[in-house]
Amino acid sequence: MYPPPAVGQPAYPQVYPPVAQPQSPEQEVAALENYQKQLEAEKAALEDEMGGVKARIEELKAKLK
């Protein structure tokens, strides 16, 4: 078991996000477009997974009848 934190100290160290460098509008547009592509790929993968889950649910329901 871990020892308790010292009195007056947080249980976990404070984590600060890295300081972001200012971006030009062109850099921000490029970064956002890349992020959008990543999200679209994740969405497509999730939709494929949902299709498989729905098909399996229907298959199991058919067996129960």
Side-chain angles (χ1 to χ4, degrees):
M1 188 169 195
Y2 296 104
V7 175
Q9 291 187 351
Y12 299 99
Q14 183 75 20
V15 178
Y16 295 101
V19 176
Q21 297 297 321
Q23 293 182 330
S24 70
E26 293 83 5
Q27 290 172 321
E28 188 172 359
V29 166
L32 288 171
E33 287 174 341
N34 287 335
Y35 183 55
Q36 182 180 17
K37 288 177 187 175
Q38 291 173 354
L39 290 175
E40 288 170 352
E42 290 175 19
K43 179 182 175 185
L46 287 172
E47 287 173 347
D48 288 345
E49 185 72 19
M50 284 296 298
V53 169
K54 288 179 182 179
R56 180 65 177 153
I57 289 170
E58 293 303 317
E59 179 183 319
L60 291 171
K61 284 183 177 180
K63 287 182 180 182
L64 293 174
K65 291 181 181 181

